[in-house]
Amino acid sequence: DWGDNPLLTAGLPNEHPDKLLPELLSCSRGNASETIAERLHLRRSEPVILVRQLWRQRGQIVAIDEAFLPAERFDGLDTRYLRECGGVYAALQRHFAMRPKMLAEQLQAVDLQKEEAKLLQVSLPRNALLILRLSGNIAAEPIEWRQRYCLTDGRAYTIKSK
């Protein structure tokens, strides 16, 4: 779910990345807010699946994800599938024969809010890198909106050309 963009030691873009390990916090159903509906081309209040994951690197918490997916399209996606597959993208590939591709990604420096700081086990005030990603299917139809709050203490979100 990090694609080809690892967290590396800042200033060392060619180092071998340490593995990022996901920890599933929850998989729940809800209704799309106006913002989520707009991103995923849904109607407001249409059912969505929300997957929350914590990410660790070398045992330290480095990020938290909130991934929103259209519930109708991924009926049956649940905690069991996510644990079995090890992540959202692997579950989509394995159980729904869909390989997500990034349609757009934005990076923004933000101040963490109380809930995110608690999950990341840091004190406020604290800033983080917010990575917003829209992923789609092969026809470029939106299938996932992800918000990732990343702690970058000594690390850099690294984008490499292909």
Side-chain angles (χ1 to χ4, degrees):
D1 292 1
W2 285 77
D4 295 325
N5 304 326
L7 278 181
L8 301 176
T9 303
L12 297 176
N14 294 319
E15 82 173 341
H16 181 75
D18 287 320
K19 191 166 180 73
L20 289 155
L21 301 172
E23 180 181 320
L24 181 63
L25 298 177
S26 65
C27 177
S28 59
R29 289 181 174 260
N31 296 318
S33 67
E34 192 171 320
T35 302
I36 300 303
E38 181 182 323
R39 304 295 186 272
L40 293 174
H41 298 178
L42 303 173
R43 293 180 312 277
R44 188 171 187 258
S45 296
E46 198 167 331
V48 293
I49 298 168
L50 168 58
V51 178
R52 295 182 93 186
Q53 293 183 111
L54 199 62
W55 291 90
R56 294 179 188 270
Q57 189 176 50
R58 293 184 223 135
Q60 294 182 322
I61 297 171
V62 294
I64 185 160
D65 275 356
E66 292 180 333
F68 297 87
L69 303 106
E72 188 175 295
R73 178 169 256 168
F74 300 111
D75 189 40
L77 181 66
D78 61 15
T79 304
R80 183 176 52 89
Y81 280 164
L82 292 166
R83 288 191 199 286
E84 180 182 291
C85 297
V88 175
Y89 286 10
L92 296 183
Q93 288 178 39
R94 191 173 190 189
H95 294 285
F96 299 95
M98 190 170 296
R99 186 178 186 147
K101 68 175 189 169
M102 183 185 51
L103 301 177
E105 190 170 61
Q106 295 179 317
L107 309 176
Q108 180 181 7
V110 297
D111 292 325
L112 286 174
Q113 299 301 309
K114 189 176 182 179
E115 183 179 359
E116 286 82 18
K118 183 178 178 182
L119 291 167
L120 290 165
Q121 299 178 6
V122 296
S123 303
L124 292 175
R126 182 69 176 263
N127 22 17
L129 177 65
L130 174 60
I131 303 166
L132 301 170
R133 182 188 310 150
L134 181 63
S135 295
N137 60 16
I138 197 161
E141 299 166 329
I143 60 169
E144 181 212 38
W145 173 253
R146 185 178 296 246
Q147 302 169 156
R148 175 174 288 155
Y149 294 89
C150 231
L151 299 176
T152 57
D153 304 328
R155 297 176 200 85
Y157 181 74
T158 306
I159 302 168
K160 295 186 177 188
S161 62
K162 295 178 183 178

